[in-house]
Amino acid sequence: MRSCVTNYLGLTGKRVDCLKHVDTPFLASPGGGDAPLESTSESDKGVLADVACAVLMKILYGARLARWDLLRAVDLLASRVTKWSLACDRALHRLVCYIHSSAGMTLSGYVGVDDTPADWSVNIYADSDLAGDRPGFKSTSGYLAVVEGPNTFLPFGCKSKGLATVCNSTPEAGDRVARQEVEHAQKGKELLHLSPPACGHAPMALVLVQRGVGERADQEGAHRILACSVALAIHSECAGARALVKHH
């Protein structure tokens, strides 16, 4: 990914010392959320509009291979290419700062030599934000699919997708992502031959990552709603799979 940083500096004419250390690839927008506002006039057009595609496509290639943590940020900026704004300039710079700060990170997986398919489970780590896509106030869901065992951790899929409708609360957003990702979990089992008859009892787990968003809500009640919705989705869409529901 260091070549992506070099490409950005070369296309923009900036120096490497302008890249600060940051912990995330996102830059909060003034109106809330992490989506940069689109350009509405020629005066608001971003300086980097002409080179944005060249920078983003190179980052996307590396992100799809070994840096899945960058996919959401890249996709978000790619959707703004035709309406590139000054806010997009700042968001792209923040993304490159994050890549520069985490250049040593890479996706890795391992399978224990003593593990057998009977020891494996397909785990889906899912989450969603609340009204993060502005100005539409729609939520974005995401998941990481992993085969796990006593000595195995093998990521095999991930996705970030905007929800079609507006969610009114964190539990509602969690309900949507739960129903959406259970189907992906079942497909992952079939793809990896973890379904009958190869491994009739391979468990499938949907792990909902519960985060606080500053709203006043009954967290215990939210957990109950999420647990019920996940159980309903699993039993209705993935009959026969032994499901483990966890909350982090």
Side-chain angles (χ1 to χ4, degrees), residues 122 124 156 181-190 204-205:
V122 176
I124 306 294
F156 68 88
E181 309 312 345
V182 165
E183 181 181 352
H184 296 147
Q186 184 64 15
K187 289 180 179 179
K189 287 186 65 177
E190 296 171 355
M204 177 181 66

Side-chain angles (χ1 to χ4, degrees), residues 86-106:
L86 294 174
C88 295
D89 283 350
R90 294 189 290 270
L92 179 58
H93 184 76
R94 170 70 177 226
L95 174 59
V96 176
C97 285
Y98 175 71
I99 296 173
H100 182 64
S101 302
S102 59
M105 293 175 56
T106 185

Side-chain angles (χ1 to χ4, degrees), residues 3-19 46-56 58-59 84 88-97:
S3 63
C4 297
V5 177
T6 302
N7 181 55
Y8 171 78
L9 295 176
L11 290 173
T12 60
K14 297 183 178 182
R15 296 167 56 90
V16 68
D17 53 11
C18 75
L19 303 177
V47 177
L48 305 181
D50 294 335
V51 300
C53 276
V55 175
L56 289 172
K58 189 173 182 64
I59 296 174
W84 195 265
C88 295
D89 283 350
R90 294 189 290 270
L92 179 58
H93 184 76
R94 170 70 177 226
L95 174 59
V96 176
C97 285

Side-chain angles (χ1 to χ4, degrees), residues 32-204:
D34 51 26
L37 298 179
E38 299 176 349
S39 175
T40 57
S41 64
E42 189 65 26
S43 61
D44 187 41
K45 184 178 180 180
V47 177
L48 305 181
D50 294 335
V51 300
C53 276
V55 175
L56 289 172
M57 291 306 101
K58 189 173 182 64
I59 296 174
L60 179 61
Y61 179 79
R64 292 177 65 183
L65 288 177
R67 286 296 303 272
W68 293 353
D69 57 319
L70 302 176
L71 289 175
R72 163 65 178 160
V74 175
D75 290 347
L76 194 60
L77 287 171
S79 68
R80 301 290 196 267
V81 167
T82 58
K83 297 181 179 181
W84 195 265
S85 64
L86 294 174
C88 295
D89 283 350
R90 294 189 290 270
L92 179 58
H93 184 76
R94 170 70 177 226
L95 174 59
V96 176
C97 285
Y98 175 71
I99 296 173
H100 182 64
S101 302
S102 59
M105 293 175 56
T106 185
L107 180 70
S108 62
Y110 52 88
V111 177
V113 293
D114 296 327
D115 288 3
T116 66
D119 299 321
W120 295 343
S121 64
V122 176
N123 296 336
I124 306 294
Y125 295 89
D127 191 17
S128 64
D129 68 1
L130 180 62
D133 191 3
R134 305 300 174 88
F137 291 90
K138 294 182 179 180
S139 297
T140 302
S141 67
Y143 76 87
L144 171 68
V146 185
V147 175
E148 292 189 78
N151 302 291
T152 298
F153 185 86
L154 186 64
F156 68 88
C158 70
K159 189 174 185 178
S160 176
K161 182 180 180 181
L163 300 181
T165 57
V166 176
C167 296
N168 297 313
S169 65
T170 303
E172 182 182 352
D175 174 79
R176 301 279 181 86
V177 69
R179 295 174 181 274
Q180 178 176 286
E181 309 312 345
V182 165
E183 181 181 352
H184 296 147
Q186 184 64 15
K187 289 180 179 179
K189 287 186 65 177
E190 296 171 355
L191 177 66
L192 297 170
H193 306 292
L194 294 179
S195 56
C199 186
H201 299 287
M204 177 181 66

Side-chain angles (χ1 to χ4, degrees), residues 211-236:
R211 300 180 301 171
V213 293
E215 64 178 3
R216 298 182 62 182
D218 181 355
Q219 290 299 319
E220 183 178 352
H223 285 183
R224 286 198 298 270
I225 294 173
L226 288 171
C228 290
S229 64
V230 173
L232 175 63
I234 289 174
H235 287 299
S236 62

